[in-house]
Amino acid sequence: MKKDFVVSIFLFTKIKGEVSLLLLHHKKLDKWLIPGGHIEYGEDPIEAAKREIEEETGLKNIKFVSFIHNDIRTYSDAKHILSPEYLFEEIIQPHKNDPLHKHIDMIYIAITDQCDISLNKDESNNIKWFTRVEIEQLDLFEMTYELAKTLFEKIGGTSLI
């Protein structure tokens, strides 16, 4: 079975003092999702994540954070690339010309101080910042919902944003 490498990003900000998560309402899946997409040839995962966020939201000023990695090292012969916070293999159901396949999903956490977002109408029906309470009313995949709950707690307990 074919496996594609993808990135997904839990992107947080503070709006009126409250931590909020950016979600997009995906056209094809008819669900709220975090930004993300396929890693293109020649990209590392962070480059792909930055590109996907900019394409899907218009945001450029983001900072990647990690709760499990804090020992960033760069050497003369090696550049450190931030590891994903989570790594999942997901089954992707057939759609139009795409057969059943799998995604190897590298999930990152990012923060921004920008709240103004723009909708990419080619991919999403809607885009919006949601608080921890608001996500309870949304149609989310189980993984997205459970990770979001965990990350709201972690982000809220820090001075990151």
Side-chain angles (χ1 to χ4, degrees):
M1 181 179 297
K2 178 182 162 197
K3 293 183 182 181
D4 293 334
F5 290 90
V6 299
V7 291
S8 299
I9 308 95
F10 281 90
L11 180 59
F12 293 91
T13 196
K14 263 195 180 170
I15 300 174
K16 297 179 183 174
E18 195 162 5
V19 176
S20 297
L21 172 67
L22 186 68
L23 295 171
L24 305 110
H25 191 267
H26 197 274
K27 282 186 174 185
K28 179 173 88 173
L29 299 173
D30 194 30
K31 281 190 179 286
W32 288 95
L33 305 174
I34 56 177
H38 288 80
I39 298 173
E40 293 180 0
Y41 181 79
E43 288 181 319
D44 68 41
I46 294 296
E47 292 167 341
K50 288 178 181 177
R51 176 186 48 76
E52 288 291 345
I53 287 174
E54 186 174 348
E55 286 176 3
E56 294 180 0
T57 72
L59 295 172
K60 295 179 183 178
N61 184 27
I62 62 163
K63 178 183 175 188
F64 290 88
V65 298
S66 176
F67 293 107
I68 57 174
H69 305 286
N70 58 12
D71 187 18
I72 307 299
R73 296 174 182 232
T74 299
Y75 303 97
S76 61
D77 59 347
K79 172 184 126 182
H80 184 266
I81 298 171
L82 184 67
S83 302
E85 199 78 7
Y86 302 98
L87 183 64
F88 287 98
E89 182 177 82
E90 304 154 348
I91 295 175
I92 308 301
Q93 296 300 319
H95 181 75
K96 294 186 180 177
N97 295 331
D98 290 333
L100 179 74
H101 63 287
K102 293 183 179 180
H103 282 174
I104 305 300
D105 195 353
M106 298 173 217
I107 301 175
Y108 289 91
I109 305 166
I111 57 174
T112 184
D113 58 2
Q114 297 176 304
C115 299
D116 293 333
I117 46 180
S118 57
L119 175 66
N120 179 338
K121 293 180 181 178
D122 292 335
E123 296 188 26
S124 303
N125 294 319
N126 200 354
I127 184 171
K128 187 177 174 204
W129 294 102
F130 291 94
T131 65
R132 167 67 181 86
V133 172
E134 291 171 330
I135 67 166
E136 304 227 0
Q137 309 305 315
L138 300 176
D139 184 16
L140 301 172
F141 286 109
E142 176 187 14
M143 181 185 74
T144 304
Y145 177 70
E146 293 298 327
L147 293 179
K149 284 192 326 186
T150 298
L151 293 173
F152 265 108
E153 290 176 23
K154 287 183 175 185
I155 291 281
T158 70
S159 59
L160 290 173
I161 55 175

